[in-house]
Amino acid sequence: MTIEFEDGFAAEKLFNQGYSYTYDDVIFLPHYIDFPTDAVSLSTKLSRNISLSTPCVSSPMDTVTESYMATAMAALGGMGIIHSNTTPPEQADAVRSVKSRRVPILSNPVFKSPDSLIVDQFDDDSLPCVIVTESGTATSKVLGYVFKSDWMSLSDKEAKLVDYMHTVDSKISVPWNYDLAQIDAYLKQQDHDFVLLEKEGEVVDVITKQEVERVKGYPKLGKGTVGSDGKWMVGAAIGTRQSDRERLEHLVKAGVDVVVLDSSQGNSIYQIEMIKHIKQTYPELDVIGGNVVTMYQTQNLIEAGADGLRVGMGSGSICTTQEVCAVGRGQATAVYKVSSIAARSGVPVIADGGISNSGHIVKALTLGASTVMMGSFLAGSTEAPGAYQYKNGYRIKKYRGMGSLEAMTKGSDQRYLGDTAKLKIAQGVVGAVADKGSVLRFIPYTMQAVKQGFQDLGASSLQSAHDLLRSKTLRLEVRTGAAQVEGGVHGLISYEKKAF
């Protein structure tokens, strides 16, 4: 005897009732498990031609993704998108910086000549030492080095470097493409405190023994996102103005692997023309369009030639677009609607914004996204731009929306089509987030939690989850306010919450 069960709702029915749902509004009902957690594969597509082993992308925000973050994201199997709130040459240099490294450690080395003085160089917490070369550039002969501790112990800060630097008494450089294990072995063999990474006679980085030991303590890294040339893959954001065509040229020369058209509302004649220009000028370069939240927007950009789509409008923690402009969509509904159309053309979807925990990632990916783009989730980490500060006993970093007035003064008003407006209206805020530590540590744990979520859904891969959803096998329900409270920590006088 066959019993027909009607438990929960199919996604198609749930998201066609006229409500705009966020991730917290909906919950998946568990399905059948016939595989272990470790059998879950999170391999995915960022765009038509770029594959990732981890479905994570760092947002092109100036407090989230520069070369350090992009290097770490590539090492984790994801991708970083370098922000465009800087000059085209500087953005291109950031792309080259990622391309010139093969370990997820970035020290941004400073070079000085022997007659130079050090003035405020060690204010940067990530800087382990200053390298002294004949001409004070990365391309000339290395003469010595000065550690931060050496400089801090000096009573005369105006002394020339030649008077107190450590001279180089043996070879302290290795090829740029050495991996972490090779660097570790070399440091132990030579008994050095640091090693220089060289590429074609130029020093591209300085790796200390302390940094190597720190990274070795994190979960083991896999192959990472590496192109056919053996270099990390990296993306960059551009706008849709005529000047961005010149920016694009800089980025292509630097070796960028994918470009993201950075706009809060991507369904515009400006973006459609830019997509067509990119595909005609650089047919081998994948371009990701957006942001979009409706099926109509989606179809327009796909027809223009977009290789991927970025979904989200007003869902970010520092975004006020929905409040200020009364336009946008709940992120769960937006991801489902856009994905349902994009899948017909084989165009991957990036769920951008609204990610606060691993459960949100599970929901975004299951609802049809191929990757998630994160801003606040990564902000405040070791790899995020900016210096740490202390406030009310917390170690924090600045985090700001690209629609904030502060970011707009740097040029980000382009993404809101407001760079020609006389009056500037903010669609974001400036805030701060607590120190999260390194993404090399917390992203692997987060992805393990995502795998456990997929196991509970009975999906051993992203494609499996998408198939279960579209076949109406996976069921959902809307959570009441009380259900959301019940689904979190409640009823305790005090507690300590640790994710791992």
Side-chain angles (χ1 to χ4, degrees), residues 16-51:
N16 280 313
Q17 296 177 346
Y19 292 99
S20 194
Y21 293 122
T22 67
Y23 293 137
D24 285 336
D25 288 327
V26 298
I27 193 75
F28 284 102
L29 303 184
H31 190 46
Y32 177 68
I33 299 173
D34 59 359
F35 54 87
T37 306
D38 289 342
V40 175
S41 170
L42 297 180
S43 297
T44 188
K45 287 274 192 179
L46 172 71
S47 57
R48 287 186 194 271
N49 302 300
I50 296 179
S51 298

PDB file of all heavy atoms in Angstrom, residues 16-51:
ATOM      1  N   ASN A  16       6.004  31.447  -4.984  1.00  0.00           N
ATOM      2  CA  ASN A  16       5.078  32.085  -5.915  1.00  0.00           C
ATOM      3  C   ASN A  16       3.808  32.563  -5.216  1.00  0.00           C
ATOM      4  O   ASN A  16       2.749  32.638  -5.821  1.00  0.00           O
ATOM      5  CB  ASN A  16       4.713  31.120  -7.049  1.00  0.00           C
ATOM      6  CG  ASN A  16       5.797  31.062  -8.114  1.00  0.00           C
ATOM      7  OD1 ASN A  16       6.292  32.086  -8.561  1.00  0.00           O
ATOM      8  ND2 ASN A  16       6.177  29.858  -8.523  1.00  0.00           N
ATOM      9  N   GLN A  17       3.954  32.893  -3.931  1.00  0.00           N
ATOM     10  CA  GLN A  17       2.805  33.339  -3.156  1.00  0.00           C
ATOM     11  C   GLN A  17       2.809  34.841  -2.900  1.00  0.00           C
ATOM     12  O   GLN A  17       1.971  35.359  -2.166  1.00  0.00           O
ATOM     13  CB  GLN A  17       2.763  32.587  -1.816  1.00  0.00           C
ATOM     14  CG  GLN A  17       2.561  31.086  -1.975  1.00  0.00           C
ATOM     15  CD  GLN A  17       2.583  30.347  -0.654  1.00  0.00           C
ATOM     16  OE1 GLN A  17       2.999  30.890   0.368  1.00  0.00           O
ATOM     17  NE2 GLN A  17       2.138  29.093  -0.668  1.00  0.00           N
ATOM     18  N   GLY A  18       3.782  35.541  -3.510  1.00  0.00           N
ATOM     19  CA  GLY A  18       3.793  36.993  -3.363  1.00  0.00           C
ATOM     20  C   GLY A  18       4.530  37.523  -2.158  1.00  0.00           C
ATOM     21  O   GLY A  18       4.419  38.716  -1.835  1.00  0.00           O
ATOM     22  N   TYR A  19       5.290  36.676  -1.469  1.00  0.00           N
ATOM     23  CA  TYR A  19       6.061  37.111  -0.314  1.00  0.00           C
ATOM     24  C   TYR A  19       7.550  37.199  -0.661  1.00  0.00           C
ATOM     25  O   TYR A  19       8.035  36.423  -1.472  1.00  0.00           O
ATOM     26  CB  TYR A  19       5.882  36.147   0.865  1.00  0.00           C
ATOM     27  CG  TYR A  19       4.490  36.147   1.451  1.00  0.00           C
ATOM     28  CD1 TYR A  19       3.578  35.153   1.090  1.00  0.00           C
ATOM     29  CD2 TYR A  19       4.084  37.125   2.345  1.00  0.00           C
ATOM     30  CE1 TYR A  19       2.291  35.137   1.609  1.00  0.00           C
ATOM     31  CE2 TYR A  19       2.798  37.126   2.879  1.00  0.00           C
ATOM     32  CZ  TYR A  19       1.904  36.131   2.503  1.00  0.00           C
ATOM     33  OH  TYR A  19       0.634  36.129   3.011  1.00  0.00           O
ATOM     34  N   SER A  20       8.233  38.137  -0.029  1.00  0.00           N
ATOM     35  CA  SER A  20       9.671  38.297  -0.222  1.00  0.00           C
ATOM     36  C   SER A  20      10.378  37.714   0.994  1.00  0.00           C
ATOM     37  O   SER A  20      10.390  38.320   2.066  1.00  0.00           O
ATOM     38  CB  SER A  20      10.004  39.793  -0.377  1.00  0.00           C
ATOM     39  OG  SER A  20      11.301  39.978  -0.879  1.00  0.00           O
ATOM     40  N   TYR A  21      10.945  36.520   0.823  1.00  0.00           N
ATOM     41  CA  TYR A  21      11.521  35.809   1.955  1.00  0.00           C
ATOM     42  C   TYR A  21      13.038  35.996   2.055  1.00  0.00           C
ATOM     43  O   TYR A  21      13.739  36.019   1.048  1.00  0.00           O
ATOM     44  CB  TYR A  21      11.239  34.304   1.827  1.00  0.00           C
ATOM     45  CG  TYR A  21       9.787  33.930   1.966  1.00  0.00           C
ATOM     46  CD1 TYR A  21       9.136  33.243   0.940  1.00  0.00           C
ATOM     47  CD2 TYR A  21       9.073  34.244   3.115  1.00  0.00           C
ATOM     48  CE1 TYR A  21       7.807  32.877   1.058  1.00  0.00           C
ATOM     49  CE2 TYR A  21       7.736  33.895   3.246  1.00  0.00           C
ATOM     50  CZ  TYR A  21       7.105  33.213   2.211  1.00  0.00           C
ATOM     51  OH  TYR A  21       5.791  32.858   2.338  1.00  0.00           O
ATOM     52  N   THR A  22      13.506  36.107   3.286  1.00  0.00           N
ATOM     53  CA  THR A  22      14.943  36.085   3.553  1.00  0.00           C
ATOM     54  C   THR A  22      15.337  34.656   3.931  1.00  0.00           C
ATOM     55  O   THR A  22      14.482  33.776   4.068  1.00  0.00           O
ATOM     56  CB  THR A  22      15.313  37.031   4.711  1.00  0.00           C
ATOM     57  OG1 THR A  22      14.750  36.515   5.932  1.00  0.00           O
ATOM     58  CG2 THR A  22      14.772  38.435   4.470  1.00  0.00           C
ATOM     59  N   TYR A  23      16.628  34.434   4.130  1.00  0.00           N
ATOM     60  CA  TYR A  23      17.090  33.102   4.503  1.00  0.00           C
ATOM     61  C   TYR A  23      16.462  32.639   5.822  1.00  0.00           C
ATOM     62  O   TYR A  23      16.082  31.474   5.965  1.00  0.00           O
ATOM     63  CB  TYR A  23      18.617  33.075   4.633  1.00  0.00           C
ATOM     64  CG  TYR A  23      19.359  33.285   3.335  1.00  0.00           C
ATOM     65  CD1 TYR A  23      20.472  34.123   3.264  1.00  0.00           C
ATOM     66  CD2 TYR A  23      18.965  32.639   2.170  1.00  0.00           C
ATOM     67  CE1 TYR A  23      21.166  34.316   2.079  1.00  0.00           C
ATOM     68  CE2 TYR A  23      19.644  32.817   0.974  1.00  0.00           C
ATOM     69  CZ  TYR A  23      20.746  33.661   0.937  1.00  0.00           C
ATOM     70  OH  TYR A  23      21.427  33.842  -0.241  1.00  0.00           O
ATOM     71  N   ASP A  24      16.358  33.538   6.798  1.00  0.00           N
ATOM     72  CA  ASP A  24      15.820  33.140   8.101  1.00  0.00           C
ATOM     73  C   ASP A  24      14.331  32.829   8.047  1.00  0.00           C
ATOM     74  O   ASP A  24      13.800  32.143   8.925  1.00  0.00           O
ATOM     75  CB  ASP A  24      16.078  34.237   9.147  1.00  0.00           C
ATOM     76  CG  ASP A  24      17.527  34.273   9.605  1.00  0.00           C
ATOM     77  OD1 ASP A  24      18.205  33.231   9.494  1.00  0.00           O
ATOM     78  OD2 ASP A  24      17.991  35.335  10.064  1.00  0.00           O
ATOM     79  N   ASP A  25      13.641  33.325   7.030  1.00  0.00           N
ATOM     80  CA  ASP A  25      12.196  33.089   6.927  1.00  0.00           C
ATOM     81  C   ASP A  25      11.854  31.656   6.565  1.00  0.00           C
ATOM     82  O   ASP A  25      10.740  31.193   6.841  1.00  0.00           O
ATOM     83  CB  ASP A  25      11.581  34.004   5.855  1.00  0.00           C
ATOM     84  CG  ASP A  25      11.511  35.452   6.299  1.00  0.00           C
ATOM     85  OD1 ASP A  25      11.326  35.691   7.506  1.00  0.00           O
ATOM     86  OD2 ASP A  25      11.648  36.339   5.437  1.00  0.00           O
ATOM     87  N   VAL A  26      12.771  30.959   5.890  1.00  0.00           N
ATOM     88  CA  VAL A  26      12.451  29.621   5.386  1.00  0.00           C
ATOM     89  C   VAL A  26      13.345  28.564   6.028  1.00  0.00           C
ATOM     90  O   VAL A  26      14.438  28.857   6.511  1.00  0.00           O
ATOM     91  CB  VAL A  26      12.586  29.548   3.846  1.00  0.00           C
ATOM     92  CG1 VAL A  26      11.606  30.503   3.194  1.00  0.00           C
ATOM     93  CG2 VAL A  26      14.013  29.862   3.408  1.00  0.00           C
ATOM     94  N   ILE A  27      12.857  27.344   6.019  1.00  0.00           N
ATOM     95  CA  ILE A  27      13.620  26.216   6.554  1.00  0.00           C
ATOM     96  C   ILE A  27      13.366  24.994   5.672  1.00  0.00           C
ATOM     97  O   ILE A  27      12.243  24.784   5.190  1.00  0.00           O
ATOM     98  CB  ILE A  27      13.218  25.908   8.024  1.00  0.00           C
ATOM     99  CG1 ILE A  27      14.218  24.955   8.695  1.00  0.00           C
ATOM    100  CG2 ILE A  27      11.802  25.385   8.123  1.00  0.00           C
ATOM    101  CD1 ILE A  27      15.518  25.627   9.075  1.00  0.00           C
ATOM    102  N   PHE A  28      14.405  24.205   5.424  1.00  0.00           N
ATOM    103  CA  PHE A  28      14.252  22.977   4.659  1.00  0.00           C
ATOM    104  C   PHE A  28      13.859  21.832   5.587  1.00  0.00           C
ATOM    105  O   PHE A  28      14.316  21.750   6.734  1.00  0.00           O
ATOM    106  CB  PHE A  28      15.560  22.613   3.951  1.00  0.00           C
ATOM    107  CG  PHE A  28      15.841  23.445   2.738  1.00  0.00           C
ATOM    108  CD1 PHE A  28      16.748  24.485   2.782  1.00  0.00           C
ATOM    109  CD2 PHE A  28      15.185  23.186   1.538  1.00  0.00           C
ATOM    110  CE1 PHE A  28      17.006  25.263   1.666  1.00  0.00           C
ATOM    111  CE2 PHE A  28      15.427  23.953   0.414  1.00  0.00           C
ATOM    112  CZ  PHE A  28      16.339  25.002   0.474  1.00  0.00           C
ATOM    113  N   LEU A  29      13.038  20.944   5.109  1.00  0.00           N
ATOM    114  CA  LEU A  29      12.718  19.730   5.845  1.00  0.00           C
ATOM    115  C   LEU A  29      13.768  18.675   5.501  1.00  0.00           C
ATOM    116  O   LEU A  29      14.214  18.592   4.359  1.00  0.00           O
ATOM    117  CB  LEU A  29      11.323  19.227   5.468  1.00  0.00           C
ATOM    118  CG  LEU A  29      10.172  20.222   5.678  1.00  0.00           C
ATOM    119  CD1 LEU A  29       8.836  19.560   5.368  1.00  0.00           C
ATOM    120  CD2 LEU A  29      10.176  20.776   7.096  1.00  0.00           C
ATOM    121  N   PRO A  30      14.181  17.878   6.485  1.00  0.00           N
ATOM    122  CA  PRO A  30      15.229  16.876   6.227  1.00  0.00           C
ATOM    123  C   PRO A  30      14.758  15.806   5.253  1.00  0.00           C
ATOM    124  O   PRO A  30      13.569  15.494   5.165  1.00  0.00           O
ATOM    125  CB  PRO A  30      15.512  16.290   7.610  1.00  0.00           C
ATOM    126  CG  PRO A  30      14.260  16.545   8.395  1.00  0.00           C
ATOM    127  CD  PRO A  30      13.718  17.843   7.878  1.00  0.00           C
ATOM    128  N   HIS A  31      15.732  15.231   4.518  1.00  0.00           N
ATOM    129  CA  HIS A  31      15.410  14.188   3.548  1.00  0.00           C
ATOM    130  C   HIS A  31      16.115  12.898   3.979  1.00  0.00           C
ATOM    131  O   HIS A  31      16.376  12.697   5.164  1.00  0.00           O
ATOM    132  CB  HIS A  31      15.810  14.656   2.144  1.00  0.00           C
ATOM    133  CG  HIS A  31      15.318  13.787   1.041  1.00  0.00           C
ATOM    134  ND1 HIS A  31      14.022  13.335   0.982  1.00  0.00           N
ATOM    135  CD2 HIS A  31      15.953  13.261  -0.051  1.00  0.00           C
ATOM    136  CE1 HIS A  31      13.876  12.579  -0.090  1.00  0.00           C
ATOM    137  NE2 HIS A  31      15.032  12.511  -0.727  1.00  0.00           N
ATOM    138  N   TYR A  32      16.461  12.046   3.055  1.00  0.00           N
ATOM    139  CA  TYR A  32      17.004  10.711   3.346  1.00  0.00           C
ATOM    140  C   TYR A  32      18.527  10.703   3.182  1.00  0.00           C
ATOM    141  O   TYR A  32      19.063  11.163   2.172  1.00  0.00           O
ATOM    142  CB  TYR A  32      16.371   9.687   2.394  1.00  0.00           C
ATOM    143  CG  TYR A  32      16.896   8.287   2.530  1.00  0.00           C
ATOM    144  CD1 TYR A  32      16.630   7.530   3.675  1.00  0.00           C
ATOM    145  CD2 TYR A  32      17.659   7.712   1.523  1.00  0.00           C
ATOM    146  CE1 TYR A  32      17.101   6.241   3.801  1.00  0.00           C
ATOM    147  CE2 TYR A  32      18.134   6.419   1.632  1.00  0.00           C
ATOM    148  CZ  TYR A  32      17.855   5.682   2.774  1.00  0.00           C
ATOM    149  OH  TYR A  32      18.329   4.401   2.905  1.00  0.00           O
ATOM    150  N   ILE A  33      19.229  10.152   4.172  1.00  0.00           N
ATOM    151  CA  ILE A  33      20.693  10.096   4.154  1.00  0.00           C
ATOM    152  C   ILE A  33      21.162   8.689   3.807  1.00  0.00           C
ATOM    153  O   ILE A  33      20.774   7.718   4.459  1.00  0.00           O
ATOM    154  CB  ILE A  33      21.276  10.496   5.535  1.00  0.00           C
ATOM    155  CG1 ILE A  33      20.885  11.930   5.900  1.00  0.00           C
ATOM    156  CG2 ILE A  33      22.803  10.349   5.529  1.00  0.00           C
ATOM    157  CD1 ILE A  33      21.275  12.325   7.317  1.00  0.00           C
ATOM    158  N   ASP A  34      22.008   8.574   2.782  1.00  0.00           N
ATOM    159  CA  ASP A  34      22.610   7.281   2.444  1.00  0.00           C
ATOM    160  C   ASP A  34      24.086   7.440   2.090  1.00  0.00           C
ATOM    161  O   ASP A  34      24.629   6.673   1.300  1.00  0.00           O
ATOM    162  CB  ASP A  34      21.847   6.591   1.316  1.00  0.00           C
ATOM    163  CG  ASP A  34      21.802   7.422   0.038  1.00  0.00           C
ATOM    164  OD1 ASP A  34      22.351   8.541   0.051  1.00  0.00           O
ATOM    165  OD2 ASP A  34      21.225   6.951  -0.957  1.00  0.00           O
ATOM    166  N   PHE A  35      24.738   8.453   2.694  1.00  0.00           N
ATOM    167  CA  PHE A  35      26.158   8.701   2.445  1.00  0.00           C
ATOM    168  C   PHE A  35      26.748   9.459   3.637  1.00  0.00           C
ATOM    169  O   PHE A  35      26.024  10.159   4.353  1.00  0.00           O
ATOM    170  CB  PHE A  35      26.351   9.525   1.162  1.00  0.00           C
ATOM    171  CG  PHE A  35      25.554  10.805   1.148  1.00  0.00           C
ATOM    172  CD1 PHE A  35      26.068  11.969   1.703  1.00  0.00           C
ATOM    173  CD2 PHE A  35      24.266  10.836   0.598  1.00  0.00           C
ATOM    174  CE1 PHE A  35      25.332  13.135   1.707  1.00  0.00           C
ATOM    175  CE2 PHE A  35      23.525  12.003   0.601  1.00  0.00           C
ATOM    176  CZ  PHE A  35      24.053  13.158   1.164  1.00  0.00           C
ATOM    177  N   PRO A  36      28.059   9.324   3.870  1.00  0.00           N
ATOM    178  CA  PRO A  36      28.697  10.053   4.981  1.00  0.00           C
ATOM    179  C   PRO A  36      28.950  11.513   4.619  1.00  0.00           C
ATOM    180  O   PRO A  36      28.926  11.894   3.443  1.00  0.00           O
ATOM    181  CB  PRO A  36      30.020   9.302   5.171  1.00  0.00           C
ATOM    182  CG  PRO A  36      30.326   8.762   3.819  1.00  0.00           C
ATOM    183  CD  PRO A  36      28.992   8.409   3.204  1.00  0.00           C
ATOM    184  N   THR A  37      29.209  12.330   5.621  1.00  0.00           N
ATOM    185  CA  THR A  37      29.453  13.755   5.405  1.00  0.00           C
ATOM    186  C   THR A  37      30.624  13.989   4.458  1.00  0.00           C
ATOM    187  O   THR A  37      30.569  14.873   3.590  1.00  0.00           O
ATOM    188  CB  THR A  37      29.752  14.463   6.749  1.00  0.00           C
ATOM    189  OG1 THR A  37      28.697  14.191   7.656  1.00  0.00           O
ATOM    190  CG2 THR A  37      29.872  15.969   6.553  1.00  0.00           C
ATOM    191  N   ASP A  38      31.675  13.199   4.617  1.00  0.00           N
ATOM    192  CA  ASP A  38      32.873  13.399   3.801  1.00  0.00           C
ATOM    193  C   ASP A  38      32.642  13.088   2.329  1.00  0.00           C
ATOM    194  O   ASP A  38      33.474  13.411   1.482  1.00  0.00           O
ATOM    195  CB  ASP A  38      34.032  12.547   4.333  1.00  0.00           C
ATOM    196  CG  ASP A  38      34.568  13.063   5.663  1.00  0.00           C
ATOM    197  OD1 ASP A  38      34.290  14.239   5.982  1.00  0.00           O
ATOM    198  OD2 ASP A  38      35.243  12.305   6.375  1.00  0.00           O
ATOM    199  N   ALA A  39      31.510  12.445   2.014  1.00  0.00           N
ATOM    200  CA  ALA A  39      31.202  12.147   0.613  1.00  0.00           C
ATOM    201  C   ALA A  39      30.569  13.345  -0.091  1.00  0.00           C
ATOM    202  O   ALA A  39      30.414  13.328  -1.312  1.00  0.00           O
ATOM    203  CB  ALA A  39      30.262  10.952   0.528  1.00  0.00           C
ATOM    204  N   VAL A  40      30.224  14.377   0.662  1.00  0.00           N
ATOM    205  CA  VAL A  40      29.612  15.571   0.062  1.00  0.00           C
ATOM    206  C   VAL A  40      30.669  16.362  -0.696  1.00  0.00           C
ATOM    207  O   VAL A  40      31.731  16.678  -0.152  1.00  0.00           O
ATOM    208  CB  VAL A  40      28.958  16.461   1.133  1.00  0.00           C
ATOM    209  CG1 VAL A  40      28.429  17.751   0.497  1.00  0.00           C
ATOM    210  CG2 VAL A  40      27.845  15.723   1.837  1.00  0.00           C
ATOM    211  N   SER A  41      30.398  16.672  -1.938  1.00  0.00           N
ATOM    212  CA  SER A  41      31.299  17.493  -2.750  1.00  0.00           C
ATOM    213  C   SER A  41      30.692  18.880  -2.923  1.00  0.00           C
ATOM    214  O   SER A  41      29.522  19.011  -3.300  1.00  0.00           O
ATOM    215  CB  SER A  41      31.512  16.861  -4.127  1.00  0.00           C
ATOM    216  OG  SER A  41      32.192  17.762  -4.993  1.00  0.00           O
ATOM    217  N   LEU A  42      31.495  19.908  -2.649  1.00  0.00           N
ATOM    218  CA  LEU A  42      31.036  21.287  -2.814  1.00  0.00           C
ATOM    219  C   LEU A  42      31.632  21.924  -4.065  1.00  0.00           C
ATOM    220  O   LEU A  42      31.566  23.146  -4.227  1.00  0.00           O
ATOM    221  CB  LEU A  42      31.396  22.111  -1.570  1.00  0.00           C
ATOM    222  CG  LEU A  42      30.744  21.656  -0.263  1.00  0.00           C
ATOM    223  CD1 LEU A  42      31.183  22.561   0.893  1.00  0.00           C
ATOM    224  CD2 LEU A  42      29.221  21.653  -0.375  1.00  0.00           C
ATOM    225  N   SER A  43      32.216  21.113  -4.939  1.00  0.00           N
ATOM    226  CA  SER A  43      32.764  21.633  -6.191  1.00  0.00           C
ATOM    227  C   SER A  43      31.647  22.300  -6.991  1.00  0.00           C
ATOM    228  O   SER A  43      30.507  21.830  -6.995  1.00  0.00           O
ATOM    229  CB  SER A  43      33.381  20.502  -7.014  1.00  0.00           C
ATOM    230  OG  SER A  43      34.468  19.930  -6.329  1.00  0.00           O
ATOM    231  N   THR A  44      31.994  23.365  -7.690  1.00  0.00           N
ATOM    232  CA  THR A  44      30.958  24.166  -8.323  1.00  0.00           C
ATOM    233  C   THR A  44      31.526  25.000  -9.452  1.00  0.00           C
ATOM    234  O   THR A  44      32.708  24.921  -9.766  1.00  0.00           O
ATOM    235  CB  THR A  44      30.289  25.061  -7.264  1.00  0.00           C
ATOM    236  OG1 THR A  44      29.154  25.701  -7.834  1.00  0.00           O
ATOM    237  CG2 THR A  44      31.262  26.109  -6.737  1.00  0.00           C
ATOM    238  N   LYS A  45      30.675  25.830 -10.027  1.00  0.00           N
ATOM    239  CA  LYS A  45      31.073  26.750 -11.086  1.00  0.00           C
ATOM    240  C   LYS A  45      30.885  28.185 -10.603  1.00  0.00           C
ATOM    241  O   LYS A  45      29.834  28.532 -10.061  1.00  0.00           O
ATOM    242  CB  LYS A  45      30.219  26.538 -12.341  1.00  0.00           C
ATOM    243  CG  LYS A  45      30.526  25.270 -13.118  1.00  0.00           C
ATOM    244  CD  LYS A  45      31.667  25.517 -14.103  1.00  0.00           C
ATOM    245  CE  LYS A  45      31.793  24.364 -15.085  1.00  0.00           C
ATOM    246  NZ  LYS A  45      32.882  24.601 -16.049  1.00  0.00           N
ATOM    247  N   LEU A  46      31.901  29.010 -10.808  1.00  0.00           N
ATOM    248  CA  LEU A  46      31.759  30.440 -10.547  1.00  0.00           C
ATOM    249  C   LEU A  46      31.079  31.107 -11.734  1.00  0.00           C
ATOM    250  O   LEU A  46      30.219  31.974 -11.584  1.00  0.00           O
ATOM    251  CB  LEU A  46      33.136  31.079 -10.316  1.00  0.00           C
ATOM    252  CG  LEU A  46      33.139  32.605 -10.214  1.00  0.00           C
ATOM    253  CD1 LEU A  46      32.505  33.047  -8.903  1.00  0.00           C
ATOM    254  CD2 LEU A  46      34.559  33.158 -10.324  1.00  0.00           C
ATOM    255  N   SER A  47      31.486  30.693 -12.924  1.00  0.00           N
ATOM    256  CA  SER A  47      30.949  31.222 -14.177  1.00  0.00           C
ATOM    257  C   SER A  47      30.964  30.076 -15.191  1.00  0.00           C
ATOM    258  O   SER A  47      31.310  28.949 -14.841  1.00  0.00           O
ATOM    259  CB  SER A  47      31.794  32.405 -14.664  1.00  0.00           C
ATOM    260  OG  SER A  47      33.149  32.022 -14.824  1.00  0.00           O
ATOM    261  N   ARG A  48      30.623  30.352 -16.409  1.00  0.00           N
ATOM    262  CA  ARG A  48      30.542  29.277 -17.402  1.00  0.00           C
ATOM    263  C   ARG A  48      31.823  28.457 -17.493  1.00  0.00           C
ATOM    264  O   ARG A  48      31.789  27.234 -17.646  1.00  0.00           O
ATOM    265  CB  ARG A  48      30.255  29.868 -18.785  1.00  0.00           C
ATOM    266  CG  ARG A  48      28.849  30.383 -18.985  1.00  0.00           C
ATOM    267  CD  ARG A  48      28.680  30.801 -20.434  1.00  0.00           C
ATOM    268  NE  ARG A  48      27.492  31.595 -20.674  1.00  0.00           N
ATOM    269  CZ  ARG A  48      26.294  31.101 -20.978  1.00  0.00           C
ATOM    270  NH1 ARG A  48      26.121  29.805 -21.049  1.00  0.00           N
ATOM    271  NH2 ARG A  48      25.271  31.910 -21.205  1.00  0.00           N
ATOM    272  N   ASN A  49      32.986  29.116 -17.405  1.00  0.00           N
ATOM    273  CA  ASN A  49      34.253  28.448 -17.688  1.00  0.00           C
ATOM    274  C   ASN A  49      35.208  28.362 -16.512  1.00  0.00           C
ATOM    275  O   ASN A  49      36.345  27.925 -16.682  1.00  0.00           O
ATOM    276  CB  ASN A  49      34.950  29.165 -18.852  1.00  0.00           C
ATOM    277  CG  ASN A  49      34.101  29.191 -20.106  1.00  0.00           C
ATOM    278  OD1 ASN A  49      33.732  28.155 -20.633  1.00  0.00           O
ATOM    279  ND2 ASN A  49      33.753  30.393 -20.575  1.00  0.00           N
ATOM    280  N   ILE A  50      34.780  28.790 -15.328  1.00  0.00           N
ATOM    281  CA  ILE A  50      35.663  28.758 -14.158  1.00  0.00           C
ATOM    282  C   ILE A  50      35.054  27.876 -13.077  1.00  0.00           C
ATOM    283  O   ILE A  50      33.923  28.100 -12.632  1.00  0.00           O
ATOM    284  CB  ILE A  50      35.905  30.173 -13.604  1.00  0.00           C
ATOM    285  CG1 ILE A  50      36.655  31.018 -14.631  1.00  0.00           C
ATOM    286  CG2 ILE A  50      36.697  30.108 -12.297  1.00  0.00           C
ATOM    287  CD1 ILE A  50      36.920  32.437 -14.191  1.00  0.00           C
ATOM    288  N   SER A  51      35.829  26.870 -12.666  1.00  0.00           N
ATOM    289  CA  SER A  51      35.385  25.935 -11.630  1.00  0.00           C
ATOM    290  C   SER A  51      36.077  26.239 -10.307  1.00  0.00           C
ATOM    291  O   SER A  51      37.235  26.677 -10.283  1.00  0.00           O
ATOM    292  CB  SER A  51      35.696  24.492 -12.055  1.00  0.00           C
ATOM    293  OG  SER A  51      35.007  24.152 -13.235  1.00  0.00           O
TER     294      SER A  51
END
